[in-house]
Amino acid sequence: MSNLRIIFITDPIHTLPAKKDTTIGMMMGAHSLGLPIYYTEQPQIYLKEGTVHTTAKRVHLKLAGENKLASEQDWYDVEAPENFTFGPNDIVLQRKDPPFNMHYIHTTYLLELIEKQGSLVCNNPRSLRDCNEKMFTTWFPELCPTTLVSSQSHHIKAFIAEHQDTIVKPLDGMGGSSIFRVKADDPNLNVILETMTEHGQTSVMVQRYIPEITKGDKRIILINGVPAPYLLARVPAKNETRGNLAAGATGVVQALSDHDLKICQTLGPELVKRGLYFVGLDVIGNYLTEINVTSPTGIRQIDAEKGTFLGKDLIEALINVWQSRHAQ
């Protein structure tokens, strides 16, 4: 393990919100284990003569404890950029926030080649492409609210008329963007559907409204298929239906319910099989609504309140996977 490197592919490091960013929590986990931390961005990863390389900077954290930054304004130093080739001693964490666009997809192709070069990539690049965070839930219909996916207004209107109170959301959104609560008598129904489906060209997801959203949209963290002991319930702001911190929700840390654990037990083996090592489930009431695989968040809030160290738990889990591969 002496030559092991932890490499983060993320947004520009100076843009990461120091107080709550999950990637920083993962970096602190790697630091606590004495592992060198490197940071790069999607445009810095390149293929040359069949081999994938990057230009990365080594990161040094400034800490006031194992899991606490010394300052939210001045929390890291970076060394001069260096070029290197990805290899068997690298654990690579893809932590680039959406949008999940063609640039992101092109990066997953490079990540597959990085895996071919022997690196362990979190999360598995094929699964990043295959497991749309909204659509992947439909593999588990028994856990989901009544759902329709369509681009056709007549199907959507019929669904809304049947269920009266619904949520309409894009398949590729994040942070609560473009999510509408739509009732059957909504005077803006036509324009909402025209806009969201791009006049029948783009599919959207429509689900029966779940009243339990007032108690919070629960973010459950799974590390290599195992749920963290606590979740982050995001309680919507007044006169708001979206349980997203980006939309003004308040985070409340809670223990998992028996039903939450049942959902995790159902999904865990499938996530492990697909190489989805770090996943954030969204659960409202007893219903699974999203399976976040690209850049799940929420661990810092849980750590701060409960004294856990989920970033370290993740890195340790990845090291175990890495070691088991090298033992074969």
Side-chain angles (χ1 to χ4, degrees):
M1 213 171 88
S2 58
N3 296 322
L4 187 61
R5 294 183 296 201
I6 309 295
I7 304 168
F8 291 88
I9 305 168
T10 186
D11 293 302
I13 194 167
H14 70 272
T15 68
L16 303 182
K19 186 175 182 179
K20 63 179 183 179
D21 188 79
T22 287
T23 301
I24 298 174
M26 296 174 177
M27 289 182 178
M28 287 192 284
H31 180 274
S32 73
L33 296 168
L35 297 169
I37 303 161
Y38 289 84
Y39 141 76
T40 189
E41 299 175 34
Q42 282 187 164
Q44 305 304 319
I45 302 169
Y46 63 98
L47 172 71
K48 183 179 180 181
E49 297 179 356
T51 305
V52 184
H53 314 264
T54 193
T55 302
K57 298 176 181 179
R58 185 164 179 177
V59 179
H60 298 277
L61 303 181
K62 300 178 181 180
L63 301 178
E66 188 181 50
N67 193 16
K68 184 179 180 182
L69 298 176
S71 165
E72 292 180 13
Q73 289 72 42
D74 181 23
W75 59 271
Y76 70 93
D77 286 320
V78 292
E79 294 185 6
E82 57 182 285
N83 296 315
F84 58 73
T85 303
F86 291 97
N89 288 329
D90 296 326
I91 294 177
V92 181
L93 293 99
Q94 165 64 313
R95 290 291 301 171
K96 174 70 178 71
D97 278 344
F100 191 87
N101 52 21
M102 286 308 299
H103 189 189
Y104 195 105
I105 289 175
H106 294 159
T107 300
T108 67
Y109 298 146
L110 293 172
L111 289 171
E112 281 189 277
L113 292 171
I114 290 170
E115 280 197 322
K116 186 180 176 185
Q117 290 169 206
S119 303
L120 173 65
V121 178
C122 173
N123 280 320
N124 178 280
R126 289 169 295 283
S127 294
L128 288 176
R129 289 197 303 271
D130 292 346
C131 300
N132 175 277
E133 298 184 328
K134 310 290 194 302
M135 286 296 298
F136 190 29
T137 62
T138 63
W139 282 64
F140 311 94
E142 72 280 8
L143 302 177
C144 300
T146 308
T147 299
L148 170 76
V149 176
S150 178
S151 63
Q152 302 302 300
S153 290
H154 64 282
H155 290 311
I156 300 173
K157 288 180 179 178
F159 184 94
I160 294 172
E162 177 183 358
H163 296 283
Q164 292 294 303
D165 198 353
T166 64
I167 294 293
V168 182
K169 52 189 176 183
L171 294 177
D172 57 357
M174 68 165 287
S177 63
S178 301
I179 293 178
F180 290 86
R181 181 179 179 182
V182 181
K183 297 185 179 181
D185 59 354
D186 194 317
N188 295 309
L189 177 59
N190 286 333
V191 68
I192 290 172
L193 298 186
E194 288 169 7
T195 301
M196 293 194 67
T197 67
E198 298 179 291
H199 294 275
Q201 299 304 305
T202 300
S203 291
V204 297
M205 178 173 280
V206 192
Q207 294 180 319
R208 178 180 60 80
Y209 174 73
I210 307 170
E212 290 88 348
I213 184 61
T214 57
K215 297 179 181 178
D217 184 350
K218 297 181 285 188
R219 166 59 55 84
I220 301 172
I221 299 295
L222 285 93
I223 296 173
N224 205 22
V226 178
Y230 302 97
L231 60 82
L232 180 67
R234 297 156 298 172
V235 180
K238 187 177 180 181
N239 299 321
E240 178 61 81
T241 59
R242 297 172 297 173
N244 301 87
L245 298 179
T250 301
V252 180
V253 178
Q254 302 173 350
L256 279 69
S257 70
D258 289 342
H259 197 274
D260 295 333
L261 290 170
K262 225 179 260 188
I263 291 174
C264 296
Q265 289 164 2
T266 302
L267 267 67
E270 183 67 25
L271 300 178
V272 171
K273 185 174 80 173
R274 291 175 179 261
L276 292 169
Y277 307 108
F278 187 72
V279 173
L281 305 183
D282 288 349
V283 174
I284 301 174
N286 287 332
Y287 294 100
L288 175 69
T289 60
E290 291 190 26
I291 304 174
N292 297 275
V293 302
T294 52
S295 187
T297 61
I299 69 171
R300 299 282 298 288
Q301 294 92 329
I302 296 172
D303 286 347
E305 186 163 328
K306 294 298 183 180
T308 52
F309 198 171
L310 299 179
K312 183 177 181 180
D313 294 343
L314 172 66
I315 300 300
E316 287 179 330
L318 293 177
I319 291 171
N320 288 337
V321 174
W322 177 81
Q323 288 176 328
S324 67
R325 287 189 180 183
H326 283 259
Q328 293 175 359

